[in-house]
Amino acid sequence: MINLTSGWVQHPGVPGGWHLEYVDPVAGFNISIVTGPKGSGLMGIIAPGQPTTYEAWFPGLSNPTGYLTLDEIRGIIMYLREKDRDDDMYTD
């Protein structure tokens, strides 16, 4: 199970924003996930009447990826776990 619902803290630099530092218990990588109100400058939005979207910084990327749902982030985590497992299979 990939728990992205607990551990959220208020974002220190974005009023009304939230931050989660996810550490994957299977592969050990970190993902920073943020969201905030519209106009906050984040690529994730908390907007009344609309689904919340999130900005996530995945390992190996030089920039964050934005406007993702939590289900999309879970899917990327599953892919990264598989990639990590496959990479370990071919490493001495």
Side-chain angles (χ1 to χ4, degrees):
M1 182 64 157
I2 298 171
N3 181 3
L4 300 178
T5 58
S6 62
W8 287 90
V9 297
Q10 289 190 317
H11 193 295
V14 178
W18 292 90
H19 177 252
L20 174 66
E21 188 67 34
Y22 174 79
V23 179
D24 188 71
V26 176
F29 51 75
N30 293 5
I31 299 173
S32 179
I33 306 169
V34 295
T35 191
K38 189 172 184 176
S40 66
L42 297 174
M43 291 186 293
I45 298 174
I46 302 170
Q50 297 179 357
T52 299
T53 58
Y54 302 86
E55 174 183 304
W57 203 301
F58 296 102
L61 297 180
S62 58
N63 291 302
T65 303
Y67 306 108
L68 299 169
T69 65
L70 288 181
D71 283 340
E72 290 169 330
I73 293 171
R74 283 186 188 97
I76 294 168
I77 291 169
M78 293 299 293
Y79 169 80
L80 291 172
R81 284 179 176 179
E82 286 294 316
K83 184 176 179 331
D84 182 67
R85 184 186 61 84
D86 291 346
D87 288 349
D88 286 346
M89 288 176 54
Y90 300 106
T91 304
D92 292 324

Coordinates of all heavy atoms in Angstrom, one line a residue:
M1 N 0.8 -1.2 0.0 CA 0.0 0.0 0.0 C 0.9 1.2 0.0 O 1.8 1.3 0.7 CB -0.9 0.0 1.2 CG -1.8 1.1 1.3 SD -3.0 1.1 -0.1 CE -4.3 2.0 0.5
I2 N 0.6 2.2 -0.8 CA 1.3 3.5 -0.9 C 0.4 4.5 -0.2 O -0.6 4.9 -0.7 CB 1.5 3.8 -2.4 CG1 2.4 2.8 -3.0 CG2 2.2 5.2 -2.5 CD1 2.5 2.9 -4.5
N3 N 0.9 4.9 1.0 CA 0.1 5.9 1.8 C 0.5 7.3 1.5 O 1.6 7.7 1.9 CB 0.3 5.6 3.3 CG -0.5 6.5 4.2 OD1 -1.2 7.4 3.7 ND2 -0.3 6.3 5.4
L4 N -0.3 8.0 0.8 CA -0.1 9.4 0.5 C -1.1 10.3 1.2 O -1.3 11.5 0.8 CB -0.1 9.7 -1.0 CG 0.8 8.9 -1.9 CD1 0.6 9.2 -3.4 CD2 2.3 9.2 -1.5
T5 N -1.7 9.8 2.2 CA -2.8 10.5 2.9 C -2.3 11.0 4.3 O -3.0 11.9 4.8 CB -4.1 9.7 3.0 OG1 -3.8 8.5 3.7 CG2 -4.6 9.4 1.7
S6 N -1.3 10.5 4.9 CA -0.9 10.9 6.2 C 0.6 11.5 6.1 O 1.3 11.2 5.2 CB -0.9 9.8 7.2 OG 0.0 8.8 6.8
G7 N 0.9 12.4 7.0 CA 2.2 13.0 7.1 C 2.3 14.4 6.4 O 3.3 15.0 6.4
W8 N 1.1 14.9 6.0 CA 1.1 16.2 5.4 C 1.3 17.3 6.4 O 0.8 17.2 7.5 CB -0.2 16.5 4.7 CG -0.4 15.7 3.4 CD1 -0.9 14.4 3.3 CD2 0.0 16.1 2.1 NE1 -0.9 14.0 2.0 CE2 -0.3 15.0 1.2 CE3 0.6 17.2 1.6 CZ2 -0.1 15.1 -0.1 CZ3 0.9 17.3 0.2 CH2 0.5 16.2 -0.6
V9 N 2.1 18.3 6.1 CA 2.4 19.4 6.9 C 2.2 20.7 6.1 O 2.3 20.7 4.9 CB 3.8 19.4 7.5 CG1 4.0 18.2 8.4 CG2 4.9 19.5 6.5
Q10 N 1.9 21.8 6.8 CA 1.7 23.0 6.1 C 3.0 23.4 5.5 O 4.1 23.3 6.0 CB 1.2 24.1 7.0 CG -0.2 23.9 7.5 CD -0.8 25.1 8.2 OE1 -0.2 25.7 9.0 NE2 -2.0 25.5 7.9
H11 N 2.9 23.9 4.2 CA 4.1 24.3 3.5 C 4.6 25.6 4.1 O 3.9 26.6 4.3 CB 3.7 24.6 2.0 CG 4.8 24.7 1.1 ND1 5.8 25.7 1.2 CD2 5.2 23.9 0.0 CE1 6.7 25.6 0.2 NE2 6.4 24.5 -0.5
P12 N 5.9 25.6 4.5 CA 6.5 26.8 5.2 C 6.6 28.0 4.3 O 6.6 29.1 4.8 CB 7.9 26.3 5.6 CG 8.2 25.2 4.6 CD 6.9 24.6 4.3
G13 N 6.6 27.9 3.0 CA 6.8 29.1 2.1 C 5.5 29.4 1.3 O 5.6 30.4 0.6
V14 N 4.4 28.7 1.5 CA 3.2 28.9 0.7 C 2.0 29.0 1.6 O 1.6 28.0 2.1 CB 3.0 27.9 -0.4 CG1 1.8 28.1 -1.2 CG2 4.2 27.8 -1.3
P15 N 1.5 30.2 1.9 CA 0.3 30.3 2.7 C -0.8 29.4 2.1 O -1.2 29.5 0.9 CB -0.1 31.8 2.7 CG 1.2 32.5 2.3 CD 1.9 31.5 1.4
G16 N -1.4 28.6 2.9 CA -2.5 27.7 2.5 C -2.0 26.5 1.8 O -2.8 25.7 1.3
G17 N -0.7 26.3 1.6 CA -0.1 25.2 0.9 C 0.2 24.0 1.8 O 0.4 24.2 3.1
W18 N 0.4 22.8 1.3 CA 0.7 21.6 2.0 C 1.8 20.9 1.4 O 2.0 20.9 0.1 CB -0.5 20.7 2.0 CG -1.6 21.3 2.9 CD1 -2.6 22.2 2.4 CD2 -1.8 21.2 4.3 NE1 -3.4 22.6 3.5 CE2 -2.9 22.0 4.6 CE3 -1.1 20.6 5.3 CZ2 -3.4 22.1 5.9 CZ3 -1.6 20.7 6.6 CH2 -2.7 21.4 6.9
H19 N 2.6 20.2 2.2 CA 3.8 19.4 1.7 C 3.9 18.1 2.4 O 3.6 17.9 3.5 CB 5.1 20.2 2.1 CG 6.3 19.5 1.7 ND1 7.2 19.0 2.6 CD2 6.9 19.3 0.5 CE1 8.2 18.4 2.0 NE2 8.1 18.6 0.7
L20 N 4.2 17.1 1.6 CA 4.5 15.7 2.0 C 5.8 15.2 1.5 O 6.1 15.3 0.3 CB 3.4 14.8 1.5 CG 3.6 13.3 1.8 CD1 3.5 13.0 3.3 CD2 2.6 12.4 1.1
E21 N 6.7 14.8 2.4 CA 7.9 14.2 2.0 C 7.7 12.7 2.1 O 7.7 12.1 3.2 CB 9.1 14.7 2.9 CG 10.4 14.2 2.5 CD 10.9 14.9 1.2 OE1 10.5 16.0 0.9 OE2 11.6 14.2 0.4
Y22 N 7.5 12.1 1.0 CA 7.2 10.6 0.9 C 8.5 9.9 0.8 O 9.3 10.1 -0.1 CB 6.3 10.3 -0.2 CG 6.1 8.8 -0.4 CD1 5.2 8.1 0.4 CD2 6.7 8.1 -1.4 CE1 5.0 6.8 0.2 CE2 6.5 6.8 -1.6 CZ 5.7 6.1 -0.8 OH 5.5 4.7 -0.9
V23 N 8.8 8.9 1.7 CA 9.9 8.0 1.6 C 9.4 6.6 1.3 O 8.6 6.1 2.1 CB 10.8 8.0 2.8 CG1 12.0 7.0 2.7 CG2 11.3 9.4 3.2
D24 N 9.7 6.1 0.1 CA 9.1 4.8 -0.3 C 9.8 3.7 0.6 O 11.0 3.5 0.6 CB 9.4 4.5 -1.8 CG 8.6 3.3 -2.2 OD1 7.4 3.4 -2.3 OD2 9.3 2.2 -2.4
P25 N 8.9 2.9 1.3 CA 9.5 1.8 2.1 C 10.0 0.6 1.4 O 10.8 -0.2 1.9 CB 8.2 1.4 3.0 CG 7.1 1.8 2.2 CD 7.5 3.0 1.4
V26 N 9.7 0.5 0.1 CA 10.1 -0.6 -0.7 C 11.5 -0.3 -1.4 O 12.4 -1.0 -1.2 CB 9.1 -1.0 -1.7 CG1 9.6 -2.1 -2.6 CG2 7.8 -1.4 -1.1
A27 N 11.5 0.8 -2.1 CA 12.7 1.1 -2.9 C 13.6 2.2 -2.2 O 14.8 2.3 -2.6 CB 12.4 1.6 -4.3
G28 N 13.1 2.9 -1.2 CA 13.9 3.8 -0.5 C 14.1 5.2 -1.0 O 14.8 6.0 -0.5
F29 N 13.5 5.5 -2.2 CA 13.6 6.9 -2.7 C 12.7 7.9 -2.1 O 11.7 7.5 -1.4 CB 13.4 6.8 -4.3 CG 12.1 6.2 -4.7 CD1 10.9 6.8 -4.5 CD2 12.1 4.9 -5.3 CE1 9.7 6.2 -4.9 CE2 11.0 4.3 -5.7 CZ 9.7 4.9 -5.5
N30 N 13.0 9.1 -2.2 CA 12.2 10.2 -1.6 C 11.4 10.9 -2.8 O 12.0 11.1 -3.8 CB 13.0 11.3 -0.9 CG 13.7 10.7 0.3 OD1 13.6 9.6 0.6 ND2 14.4 11.6 1.0
I31 N 10.2 11.4 -2.5 CA 9.4 12.2 -3.4 C 8.8 13.3 -2.6 O 8.2 13.1 -1.5 CB 8.3 11.4 -4.1 CG1 8.9 10.2 -4.9 CG2 7.4 12.3 -4.9 CD1 7.8 9.3 -5.4
S32 N 9.0 14.5 -3.0 CA 8.5 15.7 -2.4 C 7.2 16.0 -3.2 O 7.2 16.2 -4.4 CB 9.4 16.9 -2.5 OG 8.9 18.0 -1.9
I33 N 6.0 16.1 -2.4 CA 4.7 16.4 -3.0 C 4.2 17.6 -2.4 O 4.1 17.7 -1.1 CB 3.8 15.2 -2.8 CG1 4.4 13.9 -3.3 CG2 2.4 15.4 -3.5 CD1 3.7 12.6 -3.0
V34 N 3.7 18.6 -3.2 CA 3.1 19.8 -2.7 C 1.8 20.2 -3.4 O 1.6 19.7 -4.5 CB 4.1 21.0 -2.8 CG1 5.3 20.8 -1.9 CG2 4.5 21.3 -4.2
T35 N 1.0 21.0 -2.7 CA -0.2 21.5 -3.3 C -0.5 22.8 -2.6 O 0.0 23.0 -1.5 CB -1.4 20.5 -3.3 OG1 -2.4 21.1 -4.2 CG2 -1.9 20.3 -1.9
G36 N -1.3 23.7 -3.2 CA -1.6 24.9 -2.6 C -2.8 25.6 -3.3 O -3.3 25.1 -4.4
P37 N -3.2 26.8 -2.8 CA -4.3 27.5 -3.5 C -3.9 28.0 -4.8 O -2.7 28.2 -5.1 CB -4.6 28.6 -2.5 CG -3.4 28.7 -1.7 CD -2.7 27.4 -1.7
K38 N -4.9 28.2 -5.7 CA -4.7 28.7 -7.0 C -4.0 30.1 -6.9 O -4.3 30.9 -6.0 CB -6.0 28.9 -7.7 CG -5.9 29.3 -9.2 CD -7.2 29.3 -9.9 CE -7.0 29.5 -11.4 NZ -8.3 29.4 -12.1
G39 N -3.0 30.3 -7.7 CA -2.2 31.5 -7.7 C -1.0 31.5 -6.8 O -0.3 32.5 -6.6
S40 N -0.7 30.3 -6.2 CA 0.4 30.2 -5.2 C 1.7 30.0 -5.9 O 2.8 30.1 -5.3 CB 0.1 29.0 -4.3 OG 0.1 27.8 -5.0
G41 N 1.7 29.7 -7.2 CA 2.9 29.5 -7.9 C 3.3 28.0 -8.0 O 4.3 27.6 -8.7
L42 N 2.5 27.1 -7.3 CA 2.8 25.7 -7.4 C 2.1 25.1 -8.6 O 1.1 25.6 -9.1 CB 2.3 25.0 -6.1 CG 3.0 25.5 -4.8 CD1 2.3 24.8 -3.6 CD2 4.4 25.1 -4.8
M43 N 2.6 23.9 -9.0 CA 1.9 23.2 -10.1 C 1.0 22.2 -9.6 O 1.0 21.0 -10.0 CB 3.0 22.6 -11.1 CG 3.7 23.6 -11.9 SD 4.8 22.8 -13.1 CE 6.0 22.0 -12.0
G44 N 0.3 22.5 -8.5 CA -0.7 21.7 -7.9 C -1.7 22.7 -7.3 O -1.3 23.7 -6.7
I45 N -3.0 22.4 -7.4 CA -4.0 23.4 -7.0 C -5.1 22.7 -6.1 O -5.6 21.7 -6.4 CB -4.7 24.0 -8.2 CG1 -3.6 24.7 -9.0 CG2 -5.8 24.9 -7.8 CD1 -4.2 25.3 -10.3
I46 N -5.3 23.4 -5.0 CA -6.5 23.2 -4.1 C -7.5 24.2 -4.6 O -7.4 25.4 -4.3 CB -6.2 23.4 -2.6 CG1 -5.1 22.4 -2.2 CG2 -7.5 23.1 -1.8 CD1 -4.6 22.7 -0.8
A47 N -8.6 23.8 -5.2 CA -9.6 24.7 -5.7 C -11.0 24.2 -5.4 O -11.3 23.0 -5.7 CB -9.5 24.9 -7.2
P48 N -11.9 24.9 -4.8 CA -13.2 24.5 -4.4 C -14.0 24.0 -5.7 O -13.9 24.6 -6.7 CB -13.9 25.7 -3.8 CG -12.8 26.6 -3.4 CD -11.6 26.3 -4.3
G49 N -14.6 22.8 -5.6 CA -15.4 22.3 -6.7 C -14.6 21.6 -7.7 O -15.1 21.1 -8.7
Q50 N -13.3 21.5 -7.6 CA -12.4 20.8 -8.5 C -11.5 19.8 -7.8 O -11.2 20.0 -6.6 CB -11.5 21.8 -9.3 CG -12.3 22.8 -10.1 CD -11.4 23.8 -10.8 OE1 -10.1 23.8 -10.6 NE2 -11.9 24.7 -11.6
P51 N -11.1 18.8 -8.5 CA -10.2 17.8 -7.8 C -8.9 18.5 -7.5 O -8.4 19.3 -8.3 CB -10.0 16.7 -8.9 CG -11.0 17.0 -9.9 CD -11.5 18.4 -9.8
T52 N -8.3 18.2 -6.3 CA -7.0 18.7 -5.9 C -6.0 18.0 -6.8 O -6.0 16.8 -7.1 CB -6.7 18.4 -4.5 OG1 -7.7 19.0 -3.7 CG2 -5.4 18.8 -4.0
T53 N -5.0 18.8 -7.3 CA -3.9 18.3 -8.0 C -2.6 18.6 -7.3 O -2.6 19.5 -6.4 CB -3.8 18.9 -9.5 OG1 -3.7 20.3 -9.4 CG2 -5.0 18.5 -10.3
Y54 N -1.5 17.9 -7.6 CA -0.3 18.0 -6.9 C 0.9 18.2 -7.8 O 0.9 17.7 -8.9 CB -0.1 16.7 -6.0 CG -1.3 16.5 -5.1 CD1 -2.4 15.8 -5.5 CD2 -1.2 16.9 -3.8 CE1 -3.5 15.6 -4.7 CE2 -2.3 16.7 -2.9 CZ -3.4 16.0 -3.4 OH -4.5 15.9 -2.5
E55 N 2.0 18.8 -7.2 CA 3.3 18.9 -7.9 C 4.2 17.9 -7.2 O 4.2 17.9 -5.9 CB 3.8 20.3 -7.7 CG 5.2 20.5 -8.2 CD 5.7 22.0 -7.9 OE1 5.0 22.9 -8.4 OE2 6.7 22.1 -7.2
A56 N 4.9 17.1 -7.9 CA 5.7 16.1 -7.3 C 7.1 16.1 -7.9 O 7.3 16.3 -9.1 CB 5.1 14.7 -7.5
W57 N 8.1 16.0 -7.1 CA 9.5 16.0 -7.5 C 10.0 14.5 -7.4 O 10.3 14.0 -6.3 CB 10.4 16.9 -6.7 CG 11.6 17.3 -7.4 CD1 12.6 16.5 -7.9 CD2 12.0 18.6 -7.8 NE1 13.6 17.2 -8.5 CE2 13.2 18.5 -8.5 CE3 11.4 19.9 -7.6 CZ2 13.9 19.6 -9.0 CZ3 12.1 21.0 -8.1 CH2 13.3 20.9 -8.8
F58 N 10.1 13.8 -8.5 CA 10.5 12.4 -8.5 C 12.0 12.3 -8.7 O 12.7 13.1 -9.2 CB 9.8 11.7 -9.7 CG 8.3 11.7 -9.6 CD1 7.5 12.5 -10.3 CD2 7.7 10.8 -8.7 CE1 6.2 12.5 -10.2 CE2 6.3 10.7 -8.6 CZ 5.6 11.6 -9.3
P59 N 12.6 11.2 -8.1 CA 14.0 10.9 -8.3 C 14.4 10.9 -9.7 O 13.7 10.3 -10.6 CB 14.2 9.6 -7.6 CG 12.9 9.0 -7.3 CD 11.9 10.1 -7.5
G60 N 15.6 11.5 -10.0 CA 16.1 11.4 -11.3 C 15.7 12.5 -12.3 O 16.2 12.7 -13.4
L61 N 14.7 13.4 -11.8 CA 14.2 14.5 -12.7 C 14.8 15.8 -12.2 O 15.0 16.0 -11.0 CB 12.7 14.5 -12.6 CG 11.9 13.4 -13.2 CD1 10.4 13.6 -13.1 CD2 12.3 13.1 -14.6
S62 N 15.1 16.7 -13.2 CA 15.7 17.9 -12.8 C 14.7 19.0 -12.5 O 15.0 20.1 -12.0 CB 16.6 18.4 -13.9 OG 15.9 18.6 -15.1
N63 N 13.4 18.7 -12.8 CA 12.3 19.6 -12.5 C 11.1 18.8 -11.9 O 10.9 17.6 -12.3 CB 11.9 20.4 -13.7 CG 12.9 21.3 -14.2 OD1 13.3 22.2 -13.5 ND2 13.4 21.2 -15.4
P64 N 10.2 19.5 -11.2 CA 9.0 18.8 -10.7 C 8.0 18.5 -11.8 O 8.1 19.2 -12.9 CB 8.5 19.7 -9.6 CG 9.0 21.1 -10.0 CD 10.3 20.8 -10.7
T65 N 7.1 17.6 -11.6 CA 6.0 17.3 -12.5 C 4.8 17.8 -11.9 O 4.5 17.6 -10.7 CB 5.9 15.8 -12.8 OG1 7.2 15.4 -13.3 CG2 4.9 15.5 -13.8
G66 N 3.9 18.5 -12.6 CA 2.8 19.2 -12.0 C 1.4 18.7 -12.5 O 1.3 17.9 -13.4
Y67 N 0.4 19.1 -11.7 CA -1.0 18.8 -12.0 C -1.3 17.4 -12.0 O -2.0 16.9 -12.9 CB -1.4 19.6 -13.2 CG -1.1 21.1 -13.1 CD1 -0.1 21.6 -13.9 CD2 -1.8 21.9 -12.2 CE1 0.3 23.0 -13.8 CE2 -1.5 23.2 -12.1 CZ -0.4 23.8 -12.9 OH -0.1 25.1 -12.7
L68 N -0.8 16.6 -11.1 CA -1.0 15.2 -11.0 C -2.0 14.9 -9.9 O -2.1 15.6 -8.9 CB 0.3 14.4 -10.7 CG 1.4 14.5 -11.6 CD1 2.7 14.0 -11.0 CD2 1.1 13.8 -12.9
T69 N -2.8 13.8 -10.1 CA -3.7 13.4 -9.0 C -2.9 12.4 -8.1 O -1.8 11.9 -8.5 CB -4.9 12.6 -9.5 OG1 -4.4 11.4 -10.2 CG2 -5.7 13.5 -10.5
L70 N -3.4 12.1 -6.9 CA -2.7 11.1 -6.0 C -2.6 9.8 -6.7 O -1.6 9.1 -6.5 CB -3.4 11.1 -4.7 CG -3.2 12.3 -3.8 CD1 -3.9 12.1 -2.4 CD2 -1.7 12.6 -3.5
D71 N -3.7 9.4 -7.4 CA -3.7 8.1 -8.1 C -2.6 8.0 -9.2 O -1.9 7.0 -9.4 CB -5.0 7.8 -8.7 CG -6.0 7.3 -7.7 OD1 -5.6 6.9 -6.6 OD2 -7.2 7.4 -8.0
E72 N -2.4 9.1 -9.9 CA -1.3 9.2 -10.9 C 0.1 9.1 -10.2 O 1.0 8.4 -10.7 CB -1.4 10.5 -11.7 CG -2.6 10.5 -12.7 CD -2.8 11.8 -13.3 OE1 -2.6 12.9 -12.7 OE2 -3.4 11.8 -14.4
I73 N 0.2 9.8 -9.1 CA 1.5 9.7 -8.3 C 1.7 8.3 -7.8 O 2.9 7.8 -8.0 CB 1.5 10.7 -7.2 CG1 1.5 12.1 -7.7 CG2 2.7 10.5 -6.3 CD1 1.3 13.2 -6.7
R74 N 0.7 7.6 -7.3 CA 0.9 6.2 -6.9 C 1.3 5.3 -8.1 O 2.1 4.4 -8.0 CB -0.5 5.7 -6.4 CG -0.8 6.1 -5.0 CD -2.0 5.5 -4.4 NE -2.4 6.1 -3.2 CZ -3.3 7.0 -3.0 NH1 -3.9 7.5 -4.0 NH2 -3.5 7.6 -1.8
G75 N 0.7 5.6 -9.3 CA 1.1 4.8 -10.5 C 2.6 5.0 -10.8 O 3.3 4.1 -11.2
I76 N 3.1 6.2 -10.7 CA 4.5 6.5 -11.0 C 5.4 5.8 -10.0 O 6.4 5.3 -10.3 CB 4.7 8.0 -11.1 CG1 4.0 8.6 -12.3 CG2 6.2 8.4 -11.1 CD1 3.9 10.1 -12.3
I77 N 5.0 5.9 -8.7 CA 5.7 5.2 -7.6 C 5.8 3.7 -7.9 O 6.9 3.1 -7.8 CB 5.1 5.4 -6.3 CG1 5.3 6.9 -5.9 CG2 5.7 4.5 -5.2 CD1 4.5 7.3 -4.6
M78 N 4.7 3.1 -8.4 CA 4.7 1.6 -8.7 C 5.7 1.4 -9.9 O 6.5 0.4 -9.9 CB 3.3 1.2 -9.1 CG 2.4 1.2 -8.0 SD 2.8 0.1 -6.6 CE 2.7 -1.5 -7.4
Y79 N 5.7 2.3 -10.9 CA 6.7 2.1 -12.0 C 8.1 2.3 -11.5 O 9.0 1.5 -11.9 CB 6.4 3.2 -13.0 CG 7.5 3.3 -14.1 CD1 7.6 2.4 -15.1 CD2 8.5 4.3 -14.0 CE1 8.6 2.4 -16.0 CE2 9.5 4.3 -14.9 CZ 9.6 3.4 -15.9 OH 10.6 3.5 -16.8
L80 N 8.4 3.2 -10.6 CA 9.7 3.4 -10.1 C 10.2 2.2 -9.3 O 11.3 1.8 -9.3 CB 9.8 4.7 -9.3 CG 9.7 6.0 -10.1 CD1 9.6 7.2 -9.1 CD2 10.8 6.2 -11.0
R81 N 9.3 1.6 -8.5 CA 9.6 0.4 -7.8 C 10.0 -0.7 -8.7 O 11.0 -1.4 -8.5 CB 8.4 0.0 -6.9 CG 8.1 0.8 -5.7 CD 6.9 0.2 -5.0 NE 6.7 0.9 -3.7 CZ 5.7 0.7 -2.9 NH1 4.8 -0.3 -3.3 NH2 5.5 1.3 -1.8
E82 N 9.2 -0.9 -9.8 CA 9.6 -1.9 -10.8 C 10.9 -1.7 -11.4 O 11.7 -2.6 -11.6 CB 8.4 -2.0 -11.8 CG 7.2 -2.7 -11.3 CD 7.4 -4.2 -11.0 OE1 8.0 -4.9 -11.8 OE2 6.9 -4.6 -9.9
K83 N 11.1 -0.4 -11.8 CA 12.4 -0.1 -12.4 C 13.6 -0.3 -11.5 O 14.6 -0.9 -11.9 CB 12.4 1.4 -12.8 CG 13.6 1.8 -13.6 CD 13.5 3.2 -14.1 CE 14.7 3.7 -14.8 NZ 16.0 3.2 -14.5
D84 N 13.4 0.0 -10.2 CA 14.4 -0.2 -9.2 C 14.7 -1.7 -9.0 O 15.8 -2.1 -9.0 CB 14.0 0.4 -7.9 CG 15.1 0.2 -6.8 OD1 16.1 0.9 -6.9 OD2 14.8 -0.5 -5.8
R85 N 13.6 -2.5 -9.0 CA 13.8 -4.0 -8.9 C 14.5 -4.5 -10.1 O 15.4 -5.3 -10.0 CB 12.4 -4.6 -8.7 CG 12.4 -6.1 -8.5 CD 11.1 -6.7 -8.5 NE 10.4 -6.5 -9.8 CZ 10.5 -7.3 -10.8 NH1 11.4 -8.3 -10.8 NH2 9.9 -7.1 -11.9
D86 N 14.1 -4.1 -11.3 CA 14.7 -4.6 -12.5 C 16.2 -4.2 -12.6 O 17.0 -4.9 -13.0 CB 14.0 -4.1 -13.7 CG 12.6 -4.7 -13.9 OD1 12.3 -5.7 -13.2 OD2 11.8 -4.2 -14.7
D87 N 16.5 -2.9 -12.2 CA 17.9 -2.5 -12.2 C 18.7 -3.3 -11.2 O 19.9 -3.6 -11.5 CB 18.0 -1.0 -11.8 CG 17.5 -0.1 -12.9 OD1 17.2 -0.5 -14.0 OD2 17.3 1.1 -12.6
D88 N 18.2 -3.7 -10.1 CA 18.9 -4.5 -9.1 C 19.2 -5.9 -9.6 O 20.2 -6.5 -9.3 CB 18.1 -4.6 -7.8 CG 18.2 -3.3 -7.0 OD1 19.0 -2.4 -7.3 OD2 17.4 -3.1 -6.0
M89 N 18.3 -6.4 -10.5 CA 18.5 -7.7 -11.0 C 19.7 -7.8 -11.9 O 20.3 -8.9 -12.1 CB 17.2 -8.2 -11.8 CG 16.0 -8.5 -11.0 SD 14.6 -8.9 -11.9 CE 15.1 -10.2 -13.0
Y90 N 20.1 -6.7 -12.6 CA 21.2 -6.7 -13.6 C 22.4 -6.1 -13.0 O 23.3 -5.8 -13.8 CB 20.7 -6.1 -14.8 CG 19.5 -6.8 -15.4 CD1 18.2 -6.2 -15.4 CD2 19.7 -8.0 -16.1 CE1 17.1 -6.9 -15.9 CE2 18.6 -8.7 -16.6 CZ 17.3 -8.1 -16.5 OH 16.3 -8.8 -17.0
T91 N 22.5 -5.8 -11.7 CA 23.7 -5.2 -11.1 C 24.4 -6.2 -10.3 O 23.8 -7.0 -9.5 CB 23.2 -4.0 -10.2 OG1 22.5 -3.1 -11.0 CG2 24.5 -3.3 -9.7
D92 N 25.7 -6.3 -10.4 CA 26.5 -7.2 -9.6 C 26.7 -6.7 -8.2 O 26.9 -5.6 -8.0 CB 27.8 -7.5 -10.3 CG 27.6 -8.3 -11.5 OD1 26.7 -9.2 -11.6 OD2 28.4 -8.1 -12.5

